[in-house]
Amino acid sequence: QVQLQESGPGLVKPSETLSLTCTVSGYSISSGYYWGWIRQPPGKGLEWIGSIYHSGSTYYNPSLKSRVTISVDTSKNQFSLKLSSVTAADTAVYYCSETVTLFDAFDIWGQGTMVTVSS
Amino acid sequence: QSVLTQPPSVSGAPGQRVTISCTGSSSNIGAGYDVHWYQQLPGTAPKLLIYGNSNRPSGVPDRFSGSKSGTSASLAITGLQAEDEADYYCQSYDSSLSDLEVFGGGTKLTVL
């Protein structure tokens, strides 16, 4: 059974870079699928940040594209998110998830990790 | 402003039927892309409820059903139960120059 687990700092200073990692268990990332990041500001809805294919092809939300980098480390069976120049508006619960194709549902989700941007 | 539009809230009494709409456009739902629905209980991660417009993952009760027509989709819940009180989100793919994966703004279901 595939499981996802986010990890990373819970507090980031304004203008710095937010870095999170999602560790996948029960499935080898190199076997396929798209691996994505979705966030949810407190009291608000879901926002797709971006996705990466196991081969490394990336797809980003245009509104965040200039600040986002998603990468995959098949040796560790992990994929990562970096969001630069953060502001308070980037405060959110960050989820990692998986889709078979870009047209399919996010069928497995991590539990989420809260990241607060504050000095 | 979400690409997919959902009502902010719906409510119903136990045992009743409620529907939640999800309205898109010709670049997402209307282009033929599938709609998926998620249930988010308070303080938890979203859970896939309906995929591919009308399919239920294993373990999801048949009280939940989905449909799609034109540029809109709907989630129906029959035999409403207290544990159904949650936030519900629709999601699809968008082929315009905007987001690739798009979510609705979410609908809060209150069981009276």
Side-chain angles (χ1 to χ4, degrees):
Chain A
Q1 151 194 8
V2 182
Q3 292 185 315
L4 307 178
Q5 178 68 58
E6 306 88 351
S7 59
L11 181 64
V12 181
K13 289 183 168 57
S15 80
E16 295 189 345
T17 296
L18 178 160
S19 296
L20 296 175
T21 296
C22 183
T23 300
V24 181
S25 59
Y27 184 83
S28 173
I29 283 184
S30 59
S31 295
Y33 295 172
Y34 291 77
W35 307 91
W37 289 95
I38 297 146
R39 70 180 182 178
Q40 184 173 35
K44 296 188 178 181
L46 301 169
E47 179 182 36
W48 174 70
I49 299 171
S51 297
I52 187 167
Y53 191 47
H54 70 98
S55 63
S57 298
T58 52
Y59 307 85
Y60 298 136
N61 184 327
S63 68
L64 299 169
K65 187 174 183 177
S66 63
R67 300 193 290 130
V68 173
T69 301
I70 297 176
S71 59
V72 63
D73 186 338
T74 54
S75 67
K76 295 182 179 179
N77 220 37
Q78 296 174 334
F79 62 104
S80 298
L81 168 70
K82 290 189 186 299
L83 181 65
S84 64
S85 304
V86 296
T87 69
D90 295 310
T91 294
V93 176
Y94 286 75
Y95 297 100
C96 59
S97 186
E98 167 270 332
T99 59
V100 175
T101 75
L102 289 177
F103 310 112
D104 287 303
F106 293 99
D107 53 2
I108 300 169
W109 295 65
Q111 65 183 29
T113 187
M114 180 68 198
V115 179
T116 301
V117 178
S118 175
S119 56
Chain B
Q1 191 80 1
S2 301
V3 174
L4 304 179
T5 300
Q6 298 180 233
S9 64
V10 297
S11 63
Q16 285 189 333
R17 178 181 187 270
V18 297
T19 62
I20 298 173
S21 61
C22 175
T23 303
S25 67
S26 59
S27 63
N28 41 68
I29 299 175
Y33 297 115
D34 285 343
V35 179
H36 319 293
W37 291 90
Y38 304 87
Q39 177 192 60
Q40 186 176 34
L41 298 170
T44 69
K47 167 193 165 187
L48 180 61
L49 196 64
I50 296 287
Y51 67 94
N53 306 316
S54 59
N55 302 292
R56 287 184 307 276
S58 175
V60 173
D62 59 7
R63 301 186 296 103
F64 295 90
S65 63
S67 64
K68 173 188 152 182
S69 178
T71 58
S72 296
S74 289
L75 172 70
I77 309 172
T78 59
L80 207 55
Q81 299 180 4
E83 61 256 37
D84 298 333
E85 186 160 295
D87 293 322
Y88 293 84
Y89 294 89
C90 60
Q91 178 246 322
S92 186
Y93 179 91
D94 191 286
S95 59
S96 71
L97 294 178
S98 61
D99 303 353
L100 287 177
E101 307 286 4
V102 291
F103 285 93
T107 299
K108 169 67 177 178
L109 168 62
T110 300
V111 180
L112 302 171

